[in-house]
Amino acid sequence: MPHPLATAAAAATLLVVPSSPAPRLQLRPSRRARPAALLSLPHRLELWPQRLAAVGSTPPPSSAPLAPNSSSGATGLDAGSGGGDDGGDGGGGADFGWLRVFPHVLTASMSNFLFGYHIGVMNGPIEDIARELGFQGNPFLQGLVVSIFIVGAFFGSLSSSALVDKFGCKKTLQIDSIPLIIGALLSAQADSLDEMLLGRFLVGIGIGVNTVLVPLYISEVAPTKYRGFLGTLCQIGTCLGIIAALSLGIPSESDPHWWRTMLYAACIPGFLIVVGMQFAVDSPRWLAKVGRFDDARKVVESLWEPSEVDKSMEEIKAVVANDDSQSSWSDLLVEPHNRVALIGGSLFFLQQFAGINGVLYFSSLTFRDVGITSGALASLYVGITNFGGALVASNLMDKQGRKKLLIGSYLGMAFAMFLIVYGISFPLDEGVAHSMSITGTLLYIFSFAIGAGPVTGLIIPELSSARTRSKVMGFSFTVHWICNFLVGLYFLELVNKFGVGAVYAGFGGVSLLTALFAYNFIVETKGRSLEEIEMSLSPGTRGERE
């Protein structure tokens, strides 16, 4: 049975995936802005969703569903603004406008594949590692080997903002591959517990930076029309990484030294990211922010719809013109940035306490009750279900919108939890109870993968301003890693004290609470460019437009 700390790392996979990046909120305060009273934030949040409905003189694009390009080639907000919403072929047939940007975001999302791989790589061979490195029979040290990764990710998330602001996402992704490669090599060659812990810590630092970087990069490079679809590559990449690690780990059941091969293999994606990102574009928003407007225009011309280039560049320049100074962490205490930071932190807090760690941990026991004794096989079923949900999310993200998927996802998770609680708590036939537990577990994972997983990481950068986007993301993911660790650490203790039924009922209640939170405080970002969202949510900028 895995140690509770190990589940913290497993849960991180599903979570981060986070997601597709998003619009730039001009959340930068004016020079006259004063720190907002934090106690009044809930009241301000109640009014915040109304702002998107009052964007300047043009109706917001998300007020009408995004349709494939028509032969008229119409542009403007109704067709999607700023990000090349008309990115298709213009013939009314299959829309392949996303193909121009796909190689770039696919290369970046390999970081999420590596994230998933490092989560799954410890699933099977941890006992062999403990035996060979001399800490067999010590569940605390086994859990520490797995969860030291999360400690590194915590520090990586905190440092990500400074790196992105200075070097941009492209170069930072390359730099960040260094601890990922070195950490994997140290772990593969480890002859002691200390060497293994150092390697896992370095890998965690790299993953912590990447979980912030990839959603940011995709949100700033992807055309508006495809931002949601392309953003789900984060979740899909993580799922594929987990499945790859579990599949590659099958020989470890017969070869006690196979874990070294698995860790050596983790170096390969790191090298591919370094090479691949050399051919990827920089974010046009970051290029404009550092004054390289000609380079930014070249990127926009190469990836977005030609008819949107001029308008997009005007919006990007307008936003950059209002950001005349460097951001600092104290900006997250000032309105309106504090609202986004509060929402981002709350979404990750609620996501973790909705129980994804616990469900992942207990899933192996659930499958064992119905005769599936192989932990790797059970994890593979969970991984495939997660992957299937991510594929569904990629198809629905730009059609149904982020808010609907988020609410529906948490309602599905709540129903799944209560289904499991019913099967556990009431006197039912054993076969029926086991079937309800399996069904509830897989339904929970699937529901998580269509909304709570990908949307959380996607919508936070969409709601953030260009000025504070990296810091809001860094703060939000820092909250995620802390909660991830705490839930994994105390889950078994809660189960032993209150019972599985009570704990799962609590997870279901948090899921319902999160659906209510999303309904009241999350605004729809589908079909809006980053600049449009930023200008609509920034009082000063909105006033200038009017």
Side-chain angles (χ1 to χ4, degrees):
M1 178 183 299
H3 187 272
L5 287 178
T7 60
T13 23
L14 291 175
L15 177 130
V16 152
V17 239
S19 7
S20 42
R24 306 185 172 225
L25 276 169
Q26 169 71 6
L27 298 183
R28 174 180 177 274
S30 67
R31 292 186 176 132
R32 293 173 296 173
R34 294 168 297 179
L38 294 180
L39 292 178
S40 64
L41 281 175
H43 174 69
R44 292 189 175 100
L45 283 170
E46 292 175 4
L47 302 177
W48 192 42
Q50 302 172 11
R51 288 189 175 175
L52 279 181
V55 182
S57 58
T58 309
S62 64
S63 60
L66 294 175
N69 293 339
S70 64
S71 57
S72 64
T75 60
L77 290 179
D78 291 334
S81 71
D85 207 29
D86 278 341
D89 58 8
D95 187 350
F96 297 109
W98 52 271
L99 283 175
R100 286 172 290 189
V101 72
F102 186 75
H104 306 274
V105 299
L106 179 64
T107 303
S109 65
M110 287 175 61
S111 299
N112 288 89
F113 175 89
L114 196 52
F115 173 34
Y117 186 88
H118 277 293
I119 294 298
V121 75
M122 289 291 171
N123 187 275
I126 184 63
E127 293 290 343
D128 294 331
I129 295 173
R131 187 181 305 111
E132 189 165 340
L133 299 186
F135 57 94
Q136 185 181 13
N138 189 325
F140 175 78
L141 291 180
Q142 290 184 28
L144 185 61
V145 167
V146 176
S147 58
I148 191 70
F149 167 92
I150 296 177
V151 178
F154 169 82
F155 289 104
S157 294
L158 283 178
S159 64
S160 60
S161 174
L163 292 171
V164 174
D165 289 344
K166 183 171 184 178
F167 299 110
C169 288
K170 174 182 173 178
K171 191 168 291 185
T172 304
L173 279 168
Q174 293 177 302
I175 295 172
D176 187 52
S177 295
I178 296 174
L180 289 170
I181 295 171
I182 294 176
L185 286 173
L186 280 175
S187 301
Q189 297 175 347
D191 292 320
S192 67
L193 174 62
D194 291 341
E195 292 176 356
M196 176 60 71
L197 290 176
L198 177 59
R200 291 287 290 172
F201 180 76
L202 289 175
V203 166
I205 290 177
I207 294 301
V209 174
N210 279 350
T211 51
V212 174
L213 278 184
V214 180
L216 276 176
Y217 180 76
I218 296 177
S219 67
E220 296 197 344
V221 168
T224 300
K225 182 177 182 180
Y226 311 109
R227 195 173 60 236
F229 157 64
L230 293 171
T232 58
L233 288 177
C234 295
Q235 180 83 358
I236 292 173
T238 303
C239 296
L240 290 176
I242 298 172
I243 294 173
L246 294 174
S247 302
L248 187 61
I250 293 175
S252 67
E253 297 180 4
S254 57
D255 183 353
H257 306 293
W258 184 251
W259 60 272
R260 293 188 185 273
T261 301
M262 295 177 67
L263 290 171
Y264 277 124
C267 300
I268 299 174
F271 285 113
L272 292 177
I273 292 169
V274 172
V275 176
M277 290 306 296
Q278 190 63 34
F279 300 97
V281 297
D282 263 315
S283 160
R285 273 93 179 193
W286 178 79
L287 290 171
K289 190 175 181 180
V290 297
R292 297 166 57 184
F293 291 103
D294 291 340
D295 291 335
R297 186 178 184 88
K298 290 177 182 177
V299 173
V300 171
E301 289 175 342
S302 66
L303 300 182
W304 296 355
E305 177 67 19
S307 60
E308 294 293 325
V309 172
D310 290 336
K311 181 178 182 180
S312 299
M313 287 305 302
E314 288 176 5
E315 290 183 343
I316 290 173
K317 288 179 179 179
V319 167
V320 170
N322 288 316
D323 291 333
D324 54 0
S325 62
Q326 291 295 318
S327 64
S328 65
W329 285 103
S330 62
D331 287 338
L332 300 189
L333 300 176
V334 179
E335 188 179 352
H337 310 293
N338 53 10
R339 290 195 296 263
V340 180
L342 178 62
I343 287 176
S346 298
L347 283 177
F348 274 124
F349 175 89
L350 292 169
Q351 181 203 59
Q352 287 301 291
F353 283 94
I356 185 61
N357 264 327
V359 173
L360 288 176
Y361 174 79
F362 231 72
S363 63
S364 60
L365 301 182
T366 304
F367 279 95
R368 191 176 304 167
D369 287 339
V370 295
I372 302 174
T373 57
S374 171
L377 185 59
S379 298
L380 194 58
Y381 283 138
V382 170
I384 292 173
T385 302
N386 188 23
F387 177 64
L391 289 179
V392 173
S394 69
N395 184 51
L396 296 179
M397 193 72 72
D398 289 316
K399 296 177 181 177
Q400 298 300 320
R402 287 59 152 160
K403 185 172 182 176
K404 286 183 180 179
L405 285 183
L406 197 61
I407 294 172
S409 172
Y410 278 106
L411 290 177
M413 290 162 62
F415 176 79
M417 285 289 94
F418 295 138
L419 183 66
I420 296 174
V421 170
Y422 184 81
I424 293 174
S425 305
F426 291 87
L428 301 172
D429 177 79
E430 185 176 359
V432 174
H434 287 166
S435 296
M436 291 179 69
S437 295
I438 289 290
T439 302
T441 298
L442 294 180
L443 177 61
Y444 179 94
I445 298 296
F446 182 84
S447 298
F448 181 92
I450 65 173
V455 172
T456 304
L458 162 65
I459 202 166
I460 295 171
E462 287 184 327
L463 293 175
S464 304
S465 70
R467 175 182 172 82
T468 60
R469 184 171 296 129
S470 62
K471 287 182 172 56
V472 169
M473 287 289 285
F475 166 76
S476 300
F477 272 99
T478 299
V479 171
H480 157 246
W481 292 117
I482 293 173
C483 296
N484 186 316
F485 182 84
L486 291 176
V487 173
L489 181 63
Y490 291 108
F491 172 71
L492 267 191
E493 185 175 336
L494 292 173
V495 168
N496 291 333
K497 186 173 183 178
F498 299 106
V500 177
V503 174
Y504 272 30
F507 290 158
V510 174
S511 296
L512 287 178
L513 178 64
T514 310
L516 186 63
F517 177 87
Y519 178 80
N520 284 288
F521 298 131
I522 299 298
V523 294
E524 185 53 69
T525 57
K526 176 192 72 170
R528 293 180 170 92
S529 72
L530 301 185
E531 288 70 36
E532 183 190 357
I533 296 175
E534 175 163 355
M535 290 186 286
S536 69
L537 295 180
S538 173
T541 307
R542 191 175 66 250
E544 291 173 10
R545 292 186 72 198
E546 292 171 352

